[in-house]
Amino acid sequence: MKNVDYWELLNKHQTNIDHINLGFHNLHLFEQMSPYPHSEGGIMERVTNALECLPSKYRGAALSVFSSVIYVPDSFLSAALNYLWWSASTSAFHNYGIEVSEQADNIHIMEVDQSGLISQFAHINKLSARLNADVHPRISDVQQLRTMISNSLINNPDSSVEQEYTTEQLRLVANKDVWIVLTDKALSGQSLIADLKRIEFSRRLLTHGEHSPTIFVCAQIMTSLAEDKINTWITKNEIENIQILSAIKFDNRTRVGHEECALFDNKTHESVKKLCMWFDKNVVAKDMSLTFRKNSGGELTFGYHNTGLTLVDCLNTPTNSLPLLWFNALDHSATYKEGEKVIPYTGPFPRIHSRRGGSSQRVNENILWQNIISQFEDGRSNLF
């Protein structure tokens, strides 16, 4: 390491040398399988650069955090999609008496965001003919579902052909036996619950009588925190025929801010928590572009909603992981007060933010859904 002597640092802080070296060794191997796309240089070079920006008293704790990263390569994500299809189709038959047709024509697949998961899911599980619009509706995500419902409510004689197409697409969705809802990660559970509320409303809106599609929520990666929140919401609202499935699950032992955290010994754990508090106050909080801080209780000590993970996958680092891993003070979108002294810190796994600054798109989507819901508050129960 450059100005930070690796072995001296380990010995000085009496850290578990074997544990840390093994962590970095595994991290190096996984990155060789699927290199992290938003950084340059090897893992130890990036760790070195990050450590040099931190006060010396926190470097031992930071080294423990970096070596405890849980890195998910592409092969794991692909295997997760394969497992989710097997799990959903098996559960549909054994728990709900639904036999999946040979080409899965009685299943509608959508995702919560436009991320391309559907095409990956279909390719990995050899689900052919998914582009047949007369069998599989062109409603691939929650936003498209909202658009279709909105269009069907417009009473415009000049758009009768388009409305007829929209109605037919919605009927196709409604008549499926199963809805599979794909998401890459469910870590705090907040955003997924918001989407599930919309999906459940849509199911009630589109179906009537005895037929109602069974919903399988399929997450490649999920925390027990998110699962508990979602199941609580399901139970509280007495929602039937819905099941939560996950391929890779992390419990509270992987959450740095939780008392059950098992990533470190007790002494190291306390040092790591102090580092995270210092880092949020003196580094992360100064970047005014991270407006999602407001939705996280005003702090990001242990990441978004204090989830406190050390999770990184080969596509990006979630905000639910420690900012120590993903924060980039030199990002072109970072915003600081004039004259603010900025520590030029870049984590070993800098994040590419899908939403940064204002959140007008999400606000608009909430308004558009509320406009739909308000039209059915007079007692009308379904669309058709």
Side-chain angles (χ1 to χ4, degrees):
M1 302 177 80
K2 297 177 183 177
N3 298 328
V4 183
D5 188 279
Y6 179 67
W7 294 106
E8 181 181 347
L9 187 61
L10 289 178
N11 292 325
K12 180 179 179 182
H13 290 269
Q14 298 180 331
T15 313
N16 186 328
I17 297 177
D18 291 337
H19 179 78
I20 285 184
N21 281 331
L22 179 60
F24 280 129
H25 175 71
N26 290 337
L27 192 51
H28 174 71
L29 292 178
F30 281 132
E31 269 212 273
Q32 280 188 320
M33 294 169 60
S34 300
Y36 190 69
H38 312 306
S39 61
E40 297 180 358
I43 179 61
M44 293 314 302
E45 180 182 351
R46 284 143 45 202
V47 164
T48 299
N49 293 335
L51 289 174
E52 288 179 342
C53 293
L54 300 174
S56 58
K57 66 178 180 179
Y58 290 125
R59 289 174 179 170
L63 202 60
S64 295
V65 169
F66 298 149
S67 65
S68 297
V69 163
I70 301 170
Y71 192 86
V72 183
D74 181 66
S75 58
F76 284 30
L77 296 177
S78 297
L81 293 178
N82 191 244
Y83 168 80
L84 289 170
W85 170 242
W86 172 85
S87 184
S89 56
T90 301
S91 180
F93 180 75
H94 289 291
N95 297 330
Y96 300 95
I98 301 171
E99 186 169 356
V100 177
S101 61
E102 185 175 351
Q103 293 300 325
D105 291 343
N106 60 335
I107 291 180
H108 179 62
I109 305 172
M110 58 182 160
E111 52 189 317
V112 295
D113 289 314
Q114 299 173 358
S115 61
L117 266 184
I118 291 179
S119 59
Q120 296 176 44
F121 186 81
H123 176 73
I124 288 170
N125 293 298
K126 298 179 173 60
L127 304 179
S128 60
R130 300 306 295 182
L131 296 180
N132 291 351
D134 57 334
V135 177
H136 301 292
R138 300 304 177 96
I139 302 175
S140 61
D141 57 67
V142 178
Q143 185 174 334
Q144 286 186 350
L145 179 62
R146 187 266 306 155
T147 300
M148 286 287 191
I149 294 174
S150 294
N151 290 344
S152 71
L153 294 171
I154 298 174
N155 187 14
N156 184 358
D158 295 331
S159 60
S160 58
V161 175
E162 182 181 348
Q163 247 182 321
E164 184 178 337
Y165 170 77
T166 297
T167 300
E168 181 59 31
Q169 289 287 289
L170 290 173
R171 286 189 187 278
L172 279 173
V173 171
N175 289 333
K176 298 298 183 183
D177 294 324
V178 170
W179 290 0
I180 288 181
V181 180
L182 297 174
T183 183
D184 57 349
K185 302 180 190 71
L187 303 179
S188 71
Q190 297 297 118
S191 60
L192 183 54
I193 287 176
D195 283 314
L196 290 180
K197 288 179 179 178
R198 295 162 180 171
I199 292 169
E200 169 58 15
F201 168 79
S202 300
R203 179 170 65 168
R204 288 187 282 107
L205 190 66
L206 298 176
T207 59
H208 56 86
E210 294 184 359
H211 177 76
S212 178
T214 297
I215 297 174
F216 290 98
V217 182
C218 298
Q220 287 174 294
I221 302 173
M222 180 176 280
T223 63
S224 57
L225 169 69
E227 185 179 48
D228 290 345
K229 285 183 181 179
I230 296 168
N231 283 327
T232 297
W233 171 74
I234 290 172
T235 302
K236 181 180 178 180
N237 292 278
E238 299 180 342
I239 299 172
E240 298 180 343
N241 296 336
I242 184 170
Q243 186 174 350
I244 311 302
L245 302 173
S246 60
I248 303 171
K249 187 184 295 183
F250 297 109
D251 60 23
N252 291 331
R253 292 174 297 174
T254 62
R255 297 178 59 200
V256 172
H258 200 277
E259 60 182 9
E260 296 178 14
C261 177
L263 296 173
F264 321 103
D265 59 52
N266 291 338
K267 183 179 179 181
T268 303
H269 190 198
E270 290 304 313
S271 298
V272 167
K273 287 191 288 186
K274 289 178 181 178
L275 163 62
C276 290
M277 288 186 282
W278 175 88
F279 190 74
D280 184 43
K281 180 181 178 180
N282 294 277
V283 181
V284 183
K286 294 182 178 182
D287 183 356
M288 296 184 295
S289 73
L290 301 179
T291 54
F292 55 82
R293 170 184 289 275
K294 298 176 184 177
N295 298 325
S296 184
E299 67 168 299
L300 292 170
T301 301
F302 300 113
Y304 190 60
H305 281 289
N306 280 326
T307 314
L309 302 174
T310 59
L311 171 67
V312 176
D313 71 36
C314 60
L315 302 175
N316 211 353
T317 306
T319 54
N320 302 82
S321 288
L322 300 181
L324 197 69
L325 301 176
W326 55 259
F327 183 77
N328 182 5
L330 305 179
D331 188 285
H332 69 278
S333 298
T335 307
Y336 301 96
K337 292 180 180 178
E338 187 175 352
E340 182 78 74
K341 184 178 180 181
V342 178
I343 298 175
Y345 181 90
T346 298
F349 303 94
R351 170 179 169 78
I352 299 299
H353 293 272
S354 57
R355 298 182 182 93
R356 193 165 188 157
S359 55
S360 58
Q361 181 179 356
R362 180 171 291 182
V363 172
N364 289 340
E365 196 65 20
N366 290 338
I367 293 172
L368 291 169
W369 273 103
Q370 192 55 48
N371 288 341
I372 295 173
I373 294 171
S374 65
Q375 297 184 51
F376 293 86
E377 291 177 343
D378 60 356
R380 182 180 176 186
S381 59
N382 55 65
L383 189 61
F384 304 125

